[in-house]
Amino acid sequence: MKTQKIKKRNILFTDHTPWGWDLNCHLILGNQYNYIIDTGLGSLSTAPIKDFIKDDNKPMIVINTHYHWDHIWGNGSFENCTIISHKLCREMIESNWEDMMKTSQQFIRGDTTQCLPNMTFENELYFPEDQIRIMYTPGHTVDSISVLDEAEKVLHVGDNVGDSLEQLIPSLKVEKEVYMNTLLKYRELDFDTCVSGHNIILDKSVIEKIINMI
Protein backbone atom coordinates (compact mmCIF):
# COMPACT_ATOMS: atom_id res chain seq x y z
CA MET A 1 0.00 0.00 0.00
CA LYS A 2 1.31 3.45 -0.94
CA THR A 3 1.22 6.22 1.66
CA GLN A 4 1.20 9.74 0.25
CA LYS A 5 1.21 13.02 2.15
CA ILE A 6 -1.18 15.33 0.32
CA LYS A 7 -0.71 18.28 2.64
CA LYS A 8 0.37 18.73 6.24
CA ARG A 9 -2.60 16.93 7.80
CA ASN A 10 -4.01 15.02 4.80
CA ILE A 11 -2.57 11.57 4.09
CA LEU A 12 -3.71 9.21 1.34
CA PHE A 13 -3.38 5.43 1.55
CA THR A 14 -3.63 3.81 -1.89
CA ASP A 15 -4.05 0.06 -2.30
CA HIS A 16 -2.82 -1.13 -5.70
CA THR A 17 -5.10 -4.15 -5.69
CA PRO A 18 -4.33 -7.45 -7.46
CA TRP A 19 -7.37 -6.86 -9.68
CA GLY A 20 -5.87 -3.91 -11.54
CA TRP A 21 -7.60 -0.99 -9.84
CA ASP A 22 -6.53 1.38 -7.10
CA LEU A 23 -8.47 2.07 -3.92
CA ASN A 24 -7.95 5.14 -1.74
CA CYS A 25 -8.51 5.55 1.99
CA HIS A 26 -7.96 9.07 3.30
CA LEU A 27 -6.80 10.23 6.73
CA ILE A 28 -7.18 13.79 8.03
CA LEU A 29 -5.32 14.61 11.24
CA GLY A 30 -7.60 17.08 12.97
CA ASN A 31 -7.09 19.05 16.16
CA GLN A 32 -9.84 17.27 18.09
CA TYR A 33 -10.43 14.15 15.99
CA ASN A 34 -8.69 12.07 13.36
CA TYR A 35 -10.96 11.46 10.38
CA ILE A 36 -10.76 8.30 8.27
CA ILE A 37 -12.62 8.53 4.97
CA ASP A 38 -13.63 5.07 3.74
CA THR A 39 -12.30 1.80 5.09
CA GLY A 40 -11.57 -0.25 2.01
CA LEU A 41 -11.77 -3.99 1.62
CA GLY A 42 -11.32 -5.18 5.19
CA SER A 43 -8.83 -5.23 8.04
CA LEU A 44 -5.81 -5.31 5.71
CA SER A 45 -6.96 -2.02 4.17
CA THR A 46 -7.23 -0.32 7.54
CA ALA A 47 -4.11 -1.74 9.20
CA PRO A 48 -1.66 0.79 7.66
CA ILE A 49 -3.88 3.68 8.77
CA LYS A 50 -4.17 2.37 12.31
CA ASP A 51 -0.41 1.86 12.44
CA PHE A 52 0.19 5.40 11.15
CA ILE A 53 -1.79 6.93 14.04
CA LYS A 54 -0.99 4.35 16.72
CA ASP A 55 0.73 6.95 18.92
CA ASP A 56 -1.99 9.56 18.41
CA ASN A 57 -4.54 9.42 21.21
CA LYS A 58 -7.19 11.59 19.58
CA PRO A 59 -10.54 9.84 19.02
CA MET A 60 -11.27 8.66 15.49
CA ILE A 61 -14.23 9.46 13.30
CA VAL A 62 -14.84 7.15 10.34
CA ILE A 63 -16.74 8.46 7.32
CA ASN A 64 -18.33 6.22 4.68
CA THR A 65 -18.75 8.13 1.42
CA HIS A 66 -21.33 5.62 0.13
CA TYR A 67 -22.54 2.09 0.71
CA HIS A 68 -20.47 0.14 -1.83
CA TRP A 69 -18.46 -2.78 -0.45
CA ASP A 70 -15.03 -1.41 -1.40
CA HIS A 71 -15.61 1.59 0.85
CA ILE A 72 -17.11 -0.04 3.95
CA TRP A 73 -15.70 -3.53 4.46
CA GLY A 74 -13.07 -2.23 6.89
CA ASN A 75 -15.64 -0.63 9.22
CA GLY A 76 -15.31 -3.53 11.65
CA SER A 77 -11.78 -2.36 12.46
CA PHE A 78 -13.37 0.72 14.04
CA GLU A 79 -16.42 -0.78 15.74
CA ASN A 80 -15.91 1.34 18.87
CA CYS A 81 -15.58 4.60 16.92
CA THR A 82 -18.11 7.07 15.56
CA ILE A 83 -18.93 6.02 12.00
CA ILE A 84 -20.68 8.67 9.93
CA SER A 85 -22.68 8.29 6.73
CA HIS A 86 -25.74 9.66 5.02
CA LYS A 87 -28.92 8.13 6.43
CA LEU A 88 -29.52 6.36 3.10
CA CYS A 89 -26.05 4.83 3.26
CA ARG A 90 -26.73 3.05 6.53
CA GLU A 91 -30.01 1.71 5.16
CA MET A 92 -28.34 0.55 1.94
CA ILE A 93 -25.43 -1.16 3.69
CA GLU A 94 -27.89 -3.09 5.83
CA SER A 95 -30.19 -4.08 2.96
CA ASN A 96 -27.40 -4.92 0.48
CA TRP A 97 -24.86 -6.56 2.81
CA GLU A 98 -25.73 -10.17 2.06
CA ASP A 99 -25.81 -9.62 -1.69
CA MET A 100 -22.48 -7.78 -1.62
CA MET A 101 -20.91 -10.60 0.37
CA LYS A 102 -22.18 -13.19 -2.09
CA THR A 103 -21.20 -11.40 -5.28
CA SER A 104 -17.93 -9.74 -4.24
CA GLN A 105 -16.46 -11.76 -1.38
CA GLN A 106 -13.38 -12.58 -3.49
CA PHE A 107 -12.27 -8.97 -2.98
CA ILE A 108 -12.19 -9.09 0.84
CA ARG A 109 -8.76 -8.27 2.26
CA GLY A 110 -8.35 -9.63 5.78
CA ASP A 111 -11.39 -9.69 8.06
CA THR A 112 -14.72 -7.99 7.54
CA THR A 113 -17.85 -7.83 9.66
CA GLN A 114 -20.96 -5.77 9.20
CA CYS A 115 -20.48 -2.58 11.18
CA LEU A 116 -23.13 -0.03 10.39
CA PRO A 117 -22.70 3.76 10.68
CA ASN A 118 -23.85 4.94 14.10
CA MET A 119 -24.23 8.62 13.20
CA THR A 120 -26.23 9.62 10.13
CA PHE A 121 -27.34 12.90 8.61
CA GLU A 122 -29.42 14.24 5.73
CA ASN A 123 -27.83 17.44 4.44
CA GLU A 124 -24.65 18.49 6.25
CA LEU A 125 -22.49 18.01 9.32
CA TYR A 126 -19.79 20.42 10.47
CA PHE A 127 -16.95 20.00 12.95
CA PRO A 128 -15.84 23.59 13.63
CA GLU A 129 -12.88 22.70 15.84
CA ASP A 130 -11.32 20.87 12.88
CA GLN A 131 -12.94 22.83 10.01
CA ILE A 132 -14.31 19.62 8.53
CA ARG A 133 -17.53 19.86 6.52
CA ILE A 134 -19.43 16.71 5.48
CA MET A 135 -22.04 17.24 2.75
CA TYR A 136 -24.71 15.25 0.95
CA THR A 137 -23.64 15.12 -2.71
CA PRO A 138 -25.60 12.49 -4.68
CA GLY A 139 -24.12 11.34 -7.96
CA HIS A 140 -22.35 8.01 -8.28
CA THR A 141 -24.96 6.73 -5.82
CA VAL A 142 -28.02 8.29 -4.23
CA ASP A 143 -26.33 8.17 -0.79
CA SER A 144 -22.99 9.74 -1.82
CA ILE A 145 -21.37 12.31 0.46
CA SER A 146 -18.23 14.46 0.25
CA VAL A 147 -15.81 15.76 2.87
CA LEU A 148 -14.17 19.20 2.75
CA ASP A 149 -11.14 20.05 4.84
CA GLU A 150 -11.60 23.82 4.90
CA ALA A 151 -8.26 24.40 6.62
CA GLU A 152 -6.15 22.79 3.90
CA LYS A 153 -8.65 23.15 1.03
CA VAL A 154 -8.83 19.43 0.26
CA LEU A 155 -12.12 17.96 -1.00
CA HIS A 156 -12.81 14.22 -0.92
CA VAL A 157 -15.60 13.39 -3.37
CA GLY A 158 -15.91 9.63 -2.91
CA ASP A 159 -16.69 8.06 -6.29
CA ASN A 160 -18.26 11.21 -7.75
CA VAL A 161 -15.12 11.50 -9.90
CA GLY A 162 -14.43 8.53 -12.15
CA ASP A 163 -11.75 5.93 -11.65
CA SER A 164 -9.17 7.19 -14.15
CA LEU A 165 -8.10 10.23 -16.17
CA GLU A 166 -9.64 8.55 -19.21
CA GLN A 167 -12.99 8.11 -17.47
CA LEU A 168 -13.65 11.12 -15.28
CA ILE A 169 -17.43 10.71 -15.30
CA PRO A 170 -18.40 7.88 -12.92
CA SER A 171 -21.25 5.45 -13.32
CA LEU A 172 -24.34 7.23 -12.07
CA LYS A 173 -27.26 5.90 -10.04
CA VAL A 174 -29.06 9.26 -10.10
CA GLU A 175 -30.37 11.48 -12.89
CA LYS A 176 -27.70 13.53 -14.68
CA GLU A 177 -29.39 16.71 -13.47
CA VAL A 178 -28.87 15.61 -9.85
CA TYR A 179 -25.20 14.87 -10.52
CA MET A 180 -24.80 18.22 -12.28
CA ASN A 181 -26.20 19.99 -9.22
CA THR A 182 -23.53 18.24 -7.13
CA LEU A 183 -20.83 19.35 -9.58
CA LEU A 184 -22.09 22.93 -9.42
CA LYS A 185 -21.98 22.71 -5.62
CA TYR A 186 -18.36 21.57 -5.84
CA ARG A 187 -17.59 24.51 -8.13
CA GLU A 188 -18.65 26.95 -5.41
CA LEU A 189 -16.52 25.37 -2.69
CA ASP A 190 -13.12 26.76 -1.71
CA PHE A 191 -10.64 23.98 -2.41
CA ASP A 192 -7.62 23.34 -4.61
CA THR A 193 -7.08 19.59 -4.20
CA CYS A 194 -9.52 16.83 -5.14
CA VAL A 195 -9.31 13.30 -3.74
CA SER A 196 -11.58 10.48 -4.90
CA GLY A 197 -12.10 6.80 -4.23
CA HIS A 198 -9.99 5.39 -7.05
CA ASN A 199 -8.34 8.12 -9.12
CA ILE A 200 -5.04 9.93 -8.61
CA ILE A 201 -4.90 13.22 -6.70
CA LEU A 202 -6.36 15.96 -8.90
CA ASP A 203 -6.94 19.70 -8.62
CA LYS A 204 -10.17 21.68 -8.72
CA SER A 205 -10.05 22.02 -12.51
CA VAL A 206 -11.28 18.43 -12.81
CA ILE A 207 -14.75 19.58 -11.77
CA GLU A 208 -14.96 22.05 -14.65
CA LYS A 209 -13.72 19.36 -17.04
CA ILE A 210 -16.52 17.02 -15.97
CA ILE A 211 -19.13 19.79 -16.20
CA ASN A 212 -18.00 20.54 -19.78
CA MET A 213 -18.07 16.83 -20.67
CA ILE A 214 -21.67 16.53 -19.48
Side-chain angles (χ1 to χ4, degrees), residues 7-139:
K7 292 190 178 181
K8 185 177 180 180
R9 68 178 197 170
N10 281 263
I11 297 94
L12 193 65
F13 297 81
T14 302
D15 186 359
H16 303 294
T17 73
W19 306 285
W21 41 271
D22 291 347
L23 179 62
N24 296 321
C25 296
H26 183 178
L27 170 66
I28 304 174
L29 302 171
N31 298 316
Q32 184 166 347
Y33 301 100
N34 289 326
Y35 301 82
I36 298 169
I37 305 173
D38 287 338
T39 60
L41 299 170
S43 60
L44 292 182
S45 293
T46 61
I49 306 172
K50 296 179 77 172
D51 185 64
F52 189 91
I53 55 176
K54 64 183 178 181
D55 297 323
D56 189 330
N57 294 321
K58 290 192 297 291
M60 289 182 286
I61 290 179
V62 174
I63 303 167
N64 293 150
T65 60
H66 59 293
Y67 77 96
H68 284 165
W69 48 267
D70 52 327
H71 298 261
I72 57 105
W73 268 347
N75 280 10
S77 299
F78 305 102
E79 61 182 352
N80 296 319
C81 299
T82 297
I83 303 178
I84 295 173
S85 78
H86 192 267
K87 61 174 294 190
L88 292 175
C89 179
R90 178 190 163 96
E91 295 169 3
M92 294 170 82
I93 293 173
E94 193 166 24
S95 61
N96 288 278
W97 180 266
E98 293 301 327
D99 284 342
M100 292 191 293
M101 290 294 289
K102 289 177 182 177
T103 60
S104 303
Q105 62 179 330
Q106 69 269 26
F107 298 113
I108 294 173
R109 303 286 297 274
D111 298 321
T112 185
T113 56
Q114 186 183 102
C115 188
L116 296 172
N118 49 39
M119 178 184 291
T120 64
F121 71 100
E122 293 191 39
N123 295 311
E124 185 173 295
L125 286 175
Y126 188 58
F127 293 84
E129 60 282 331
D130 289 321
Q131 293 181 265
I132 296 294
R133 189 174 300 277
I134 308 174
M135 303 159 287
Y136 179 45
T137 52

Side-chain angles (χ1 to χ4, degrees), residues 5 126 157 211:
K5 193 169 185 179
Y126 188 58
V157 299
I211 289 172

